[in-house]
Amino acid sequence: VFMCLEIMLNAVNLTFVSFSQSVGNLQGQLAVFFVMVVAAAEASIGLAIIIALFRSMKSVETSSAGEMKH
């Protein structure tokens, strides 16, 4: 799940850069910068969630995450 989100964000970045190049302005490349900032924040938060899941459940399977109810 985590890798799928990263691949989707990279696909959006590639689309923004190619569209920006074809139009001839830098607005798409500026948008890529902000998407990369969001991707970095998402990666750090996602990694923290994965580590917390592993520490509590001793597994990183998504099916075991549904069992974490308080």
Side-chain angles (χ1 to χ4, degrees), residues 3-70:
M3 288 297 294
C4 290
L5 290 173
E6 293 295 325
I7 290 171
M8 285 189 286
L9 286 174
N10 285 334
V12 169
N13 283 342
L14 182 62
T15 304
F16 277 150
V17 168
S18 63
F19 186 71
S20 173
Q21 184 69 27
S22 68
V23 173
N25 62 11
L26 296 176
Q27 292 176 352
Q29 294 177 8
L30 183 64
V32 167
F33 176 73
F34 290 113
V35 170
M36 288 175 67
V37 169
V38 169
E42 179 256 335
S44 63
I45 292 171
L47 185 60
I49 290 171
I50 291 171
I51 290 172
L53 178 66
F54 181 75
R55 285 184 180 173
S56 66
M57 300 295 287
K58 302 296 185 223
S59 173
V60 291
E61 294 183 23
T62 54
S63 61
S64 63
E67 299 171 4
M68 293 183 63
K69 296 180 181 176
H70 291 269

